[in-house]
Amino acid sequence: MMSSWQVIVDAMPLLLQGLWITVKIVVISLLIAFAIGLITGLMNTSSNKILKFIATLYIDIIRGTPLLVQVFFIYFALPAFLDIRIPAETAGIIAISANAGAYIAEIFRAGISSIDKGQREAARSLGLSQVQTMRLVILPQAFRRMIPAFVNQCTISIKDTSLLSVIGIKELTQSGEIIISTNYRAFEIWGTVGVLYFIIIYGISRLSRVLERRLSLK
């Protein structure tokens, strides 16, 4: 019988391949989600009732339904309705992006709303336009306050990628399942999978703390 260490060593190439797919999906999804969140967050803080309604509707739908249902809808239901084919990895990226985007939109809304209205009034009195006020005055201050929430959403999205194994994406969790189906060493493999997830999330958490300290000194 193989030792636990040998089982882990033999499994590592496939697990690292799955880890790479996980990281790739998370990075692409969060970049898209950040753009979605920023636009939706600005819409949600707008005085325009139509834009505010659209943003609120999107956020409520995403936050009111499980991510797994969203994954199934994008991968199975939407292609069947539109008579198209969406690759599994693309569907996964769309699902994670749309899901994280709604939560990031709320982070932006809360961050923008936390800035004193006097800041906005002072900027406008200096001749700055509404766009310039938001870009140069409000968002830089709000962003510092939003960093912990952004990091929290990032870690959630990393863990959410494990759900994509249900549509056959060979990310980290699916890779672990494949290995276990051949060697039946669940303890070693799931333990290693957990450690790999922990390393990524812990690294992001440490990086965010460094960023927070540097921004607080400015």
Side-chain angles (χ1 to χ4, degrees), residues 162-178:
S162 62
L163 295 175
L164 302 182
S165 62
V166 299
I167 57 174
I169 298 178
K170 293 182 180 179
E171 41 68 62
L172 183 54
T173 298
Q174 175 78 333
S175 298
E177 292 176 351
I178 292 171

Side-chain angles (χ1 to χ4, degrees), residues 77-115:
L78 198 59
F81 180 74
L82 299 176
D83 195 24
I84 59 173
R85 181 182 178 276
I86 301 179
E89 194 167 306
T90 302
I93 290 172
I94 293 172
I96 298 293
S97 299
N99 184 272
Y103 289 93
I104 292 175
E106 283 294 272
I107 294 172
F108 271 111
R109 181 195 62 76
I112 292 170
S113 299
S114 70
I115 304 301

Side-chain angles (χ1 to χ4, degrees), residues 39 63 67-69 94 107 130 159 162 176 205 211 218:
I39 294 170
R63 296 179 68 183
L67 175 58
L68 188 59
V69 173
I94 293 172
I107 294 172
Q130 186 171 347
K159 290 181 281 188
S162 62
S205 298
L211 181 61
K218 294 183 178 180

